[in-house]
Amino acid sequence: VSGEISSKIKELKKVLSGTASYDVLEPYIIEATKSQPRDMSILVPGCGNSNLSEKLHSSLGFSNILSTDFEPEIIQKMNERGVKGLKYEVSDSTNMKDQYTDNSFTTIIDKGTFDAICIDATKETKEKCNKYLNELVRVSMAKGGQIIIVSLLQDFVLNNLIEFFVRGQSN
C-alpha cells in the first residue's frame, strides 16, 4: 500500500473509531458527490445514533436524505431531534423490497454498517453480506447511482467486497 493510500486509510479508520470528526470524512463525500445535485436521494442504512445525516444536510446542503435502522427506539430518538429535511425510518437493510422500489436512491452512504454485518469469514456471514449488498445495488443503481462504503476493511471485509463487486459473486 502506497504511503498516500495508507495515510487515507488511517484517516478513515479514525472516523470510524470515533477519534476523528466528520470533517475528516467530508472531503471524500464532497469528491464522490461533486457532480450530483443537492436534492439527490440519499440513503444512509444502519444510521444508529450517528449525526452523519445531519452533517450531510447542514454542512453539504443535501435535502433528500433517508436514514434507516432496524431498531425502532433508535429511529424514534433520531426523529425526536427534529431536524427539518431529514427522514428516519425503521428498515431491515438486508430486506427492503417492501419499502423501497428498485433505483430509489441516487447515492447510498454506509458508514460502518457493512462492518457490523461482516463480522467474520463464515459462509453465513458471507450470505448475509451478499443479501445486504444486493439490496443496496437494487435500490441505488439508478443512472449515475453510487454506493459509498466507509469501512475499517479487515481482510474478510475486503474479501467480501471484492468477491461481490469485482468477481460478481453476489448470490
Side-chain angles (χ1 to χ4, degrees), residues 84-141:
K84 288 187 177 184
L86 297 182
K87 293 178 276 186
Y88 294 93
E89 294 181 2
V90 176
S91 179
D92 174 359
S93 296
T94 65
N95 185 8
M96 301 182 282
K97 285 183 172 42
D98 291 338
Q99 289 179 285
Y100 314 116
T101 60
D102 295 358
N103 306 321
S104 294
F105 302 96
T106 307
T107 296
I108 295 177
I109 302 176
D110 168 325
K111 182 178 175 256
T113 301
F114 188 72
D115 283 350
I117 293 170
C118 190
I119 57 171
D120 57 36
T122 65
K123 181 180 177 185
E124 293 78 22
T125 296
K126 182 177 179 176
E127 288 171 359
K128 190 166 187 176
C129 291
N130 285 347
K131 197 172 173 185
Y132 174 69
L133 293 171
N134 276 315
E135 278 297 275
L136 296 189
V137 168
R138 184 186 67 77
V139 300
S140 71
M141 286 299 134

Side-chain angles (χ1 to χ4, degrees), residues 137-157:
V137 168
R138 184 186 67 77
V139 300
S140 71
M141 286 299 134
K143 185 177 180 183
Q146 60 187 338
I147 300 170
I148 300 168
I149 298 177
V150 181
S151 170
L152 291 173
L153 284 181
Q154 295 109 320
D155 290 343
F156 54 88
V157 173

Side-chain angles (χ1 to χ4, degrees), residues 27-56:
Y28 300 100
I29 294 173
I30 290 171
E31 180 63 28
T33 61
K34 66 183 174 189
S35 64
Q36 302 292 343
R38 297 294 104 175
D39 65 346
M40 72 172 167
S41 56
I42 297 175
L43 173 65
V44 180
C47 65
N49 62 3
S50 167
N51 68 352
L52 174 62
S53 298
E54 293 170 11
K55 292 289 191 174
L56 292 169

